Short mmCIF file of all heavy atoms in Angstrom, two decimals:
data_model
loop_
_atom_site.label_atom_id
_atom_site.label_comp_id
_atom_site.label_asym_id
_atom_site.label_seq_id
_atom_site.Cartn_x
_atom_site.Cartn_y
_atom_site.Cartn_z
N GLU B 290 5.85 -50.11 -6.81
CA GLU B 290 6.01 -50.62 -5.46
C GLU B 290 7.39 -51.26 -5.27
O GLU B 290 7.99 -51.14 -4.20
CB GLU B 290 4.93 -51.69 -5.19
CG GLU B 290 3.71 -51.12 -4.53
CD GLU B 290 2.73 -52.22 -4.17
OE1 GLU B 290 2.24 -52.91 -5.09
OE2 GLU B 290 2.49 -52.41 -2.97
N ARG B 291 7.85 -51.96 -6.33
CA ARG B 291 9.11 -52.68 -6.23
C ARG B 291 10.27 -51.74 -5.92
O ARG B 291 11.15 -52.06 -5.14
CB ARG B 291 9.37 -53.44 -7.53
CG ARG B 291 9.28 -54.93 -7.36
CD ARG B 291 9.89 -55.70 -8.51
NE ARG B 291 9.76 -55.12 -9.83
CZ ARG B 291 8.68 -55.26 -10.62
NH1 ARG B 291 7.65 -55.98 -10.22
NH2 ARG B 291 8.66 -54.71 -11.81
N SER B 292 10.25 -50.59 -6.58
CA SER B 292 11.38 -49.68 -6.35
C SER B 292 10.86 -48.29 -5.98
O SER B 292 11.19 -47.30 -6.62
CB SER B 292 12.27 -49.63 -7.58
OG SER B 292 11.45 -49.41 -8.72
N LEU B 293 10.03 -48.28 -4.97
CA LEU B 293 9.40 -47.02 -4.56
C LEU B 293 10.41 -45.93 -4.20
O LEU B 293 10.29 -44.79 -4.68
CB LEU B 293 8.44 -47.27 -3.40
CG LEU B 293 7.63 -46.04 -2.96
CD1 LEU B 293 6.74 -45.53 -4.08
CD2 LEU B 293 6.78 -46.36 -1.72
N PRO B 294 11.41 -46.23 -3.36
CA PRO B 294 12.32 -45.15 -2.98
C PRO B 294 12.98 -44.48 -4.19
O PRO B 294 13.09 -43.25 -4.22
CB PRO B 294 13.37 -45.85 -2.12
CG PRO B 294 12.72 -47.10 -1.64
CD PRO B 294 11.75 -47.51 -2.72
N GLU B 295 13.35 -45.28 -5.19
CA GLU B 295 13.99 -44.70 -6.38
C GLU B 295 13.02 -43.78 -7.11
O GLU B 295 13.39 -42.68 -7.55
CB GLU B 295 14.48 -45.78 -7.35
CG GLU B 295 15.69 -46.56 -6.87
CD GLU B 295 15.33 -47.58 -5.80
OE1 GLU B 295 14.19 -48.08 -5.83
OE2 GLU B 295 16.15 -47.86 -4.91
N HIS B 296 11.77 -44.25 -7.24
CA HIS B 296 10.78 -43.43 -7.95
C HIS B 296 10.51 -42.12 -7.20
O HIS B 296 10.43 -41.06 -7.81
CB HIS B 296 9.48 -44.21 -8.15
CG HIS B 296 9.58 -45.23 -9.24
ND1 HIS B 296 9.64 -44.88 -10.57
CD2 HIS B 296 9.68 -46.58 -9.19
CE1 HIS B 296 9.76 -45.97 -11.30
NE2 HIS B 296 9.78 -47.03 -10.48
N LEU B 297 10.36 -42.24 -5.89
CA LEU B 297 10.10 -41.03 -5.11
C LEU B 297 11.27 -40.06 -5.22
O LEU B 297 11.10 -38.85 -5.38
CB LEU B 297 9.82 -41.39 -3.64
CG LEU B 297 8.53 -42.16 -3.40
CD1 LEU B 297 8.39 -42.52 -1.92
CD2 LEU B 297 7.31 -41.36 -3.85
N ALA B 298 12.46 -40.62 -5.14
CA ALA B 298 13.65 -39.76 -5.22
C ALA B 298 13.70 -39.07 -6.58
O ALA B 298 14.07 -37.89 -6.69
CB ALA B 298 14.92 -40.59 -5.00
N ARG B 299 13.28 -39.80 -7.62
CA ARG B 299 13.32 -39.19 -8.96
C ARG B 299 12.33 -38.03 -9.07
O ARG B 299 12.63 -36.97 -9.63
CB ARG B 299 13.00 -40.25 -10.01
CG ARG B 299 13.35 -39.75 -11.41
CD ARG B 299 12.93 -40.73 -12.49
NE ARG B 299 13.49 -42.05 -12.30
CZ ARG B 299 12.98 -43.16 -12.85
NH1 ARG B 299 11.89 -43.09 -13.59
NH2 ARG B 299 13.55 -44.33 -12.66
N ILE B 300 11.14 -38.24 -8.49
CA ILE B 300 10.15 -37.14 -8.53
C ILE B 300 10.66 -35.94 -7.73
O ILE B 300 10.52 -34.79 -8.15
CB ILE B 300 8.79 -37.61 -7.98
CG1 ILE B 300 8.26 -38.79 -8.79
CG2 ILE B 300 7.77 -36.47 -8.01
CD1 ILE B 300 7.05 -39.47 -8.19
N GLU B 301 11.26 -36.24 -6.60
CA GLU B 301 11.78 -35.16 -5.76
C GLU B 301 12.85 -34.35 -6.53
O GLU B 301 12.86 -33.12 -6.50
CB GLU B 301 12.39 -35.74 -4.49
CG GLU B 301 11.93 -35.01 -3.25
CD GLU B 301 12.31 -35.73 -1.97
OE1 GLU B 301 12.71 -36.91 -2.03
OE2 GLU B 301 12.19 -35.09 -0.91
N ARG B 302 13.71 -35.08 -7.23
CA ARG B 302 14.75 -34.41 -8.02
C ARG B 302 14.11 -33.57 -9.14
O ARG B 302 14.54 -32.44 -9.40
CB ARG B 302 15.71 -35.44 -8.64
CG ARG B 302 16.84 -35.87 -7.71
CD ARG B 302 17.99 -36.50 -8.51
NE ARG B 302 17.53 -37.59 -9.37
CZ ARG B 302 17.37 -38.86 -8.97
NH1 ARG B 302 17.60 -39.18 -7.71
NH2 ARG B 302 16.95 -39.79 -9.81
N ALA B 303 13.08 -34.13 -9.75
CA ALA B 303 12.42 -33.40 -10.83
C ALA B 303 11.83 -32.09 -10.30
O ALA B 303 11.92 -31.04 -10.94
CB ALA B 303 11.33 -34.25 -11.46
N CYS B 304 11.24 -32.17 -9.11
CA CYS B 304 10.65 -30.95 -8.51
C CYS B 304 11.71 -29.91 -8.27
O CYS B 304 11.51 -28.72 -8.55
CB CYS B 304 10.00 -31.28 -7.17
SG CYS B 304 8.33 -31.83 -7.35
N SER B 305 12.81 -30.33 -7.71
CA SER B 305 13.83 -29.35 -7.37
C SER B 305 14.46 -28.79 -8.66
O SER B 305 14.74 -27.60 -8.75
CB SER B 305 14.82 -29.99 -6.40
OG SER B 305 16.11 -29.93 -6.90
N HIS B 306 14.61 -29.67 -9.66
CA HIS B 306 15.13 -29.20 -10.94
C HIS B 306 14.13 -28.23 -11.60
O HIS B 306 14.51 -27.19 -12.14
CB HIS B 306 15.40 -30.40 -11.85
CG HIS B 306 16.09 -30.04 -13.14
ND1 HIS B 306 16.01 -30.80 -14.27
CD2 HIS B 306 16.83 -28.96 -13.47
CE1 HIS B 306 16.70 -30.21 -15.24
NE2 HIS B 306 17.22 -29.10 -14.78
#
Side-chain angles (χ1 to χ4, degrees):
Chain B
E290 267 185 298
R291 249 195 325 276
S292 49
L293 185 62
E295 288 76 30
H296 284 288
L297 293 178
R299 194 186 304 160
I300 301 170
E301 228 169 347
R302 275 199 306 276
C304 273
S305 123
H306 187 204

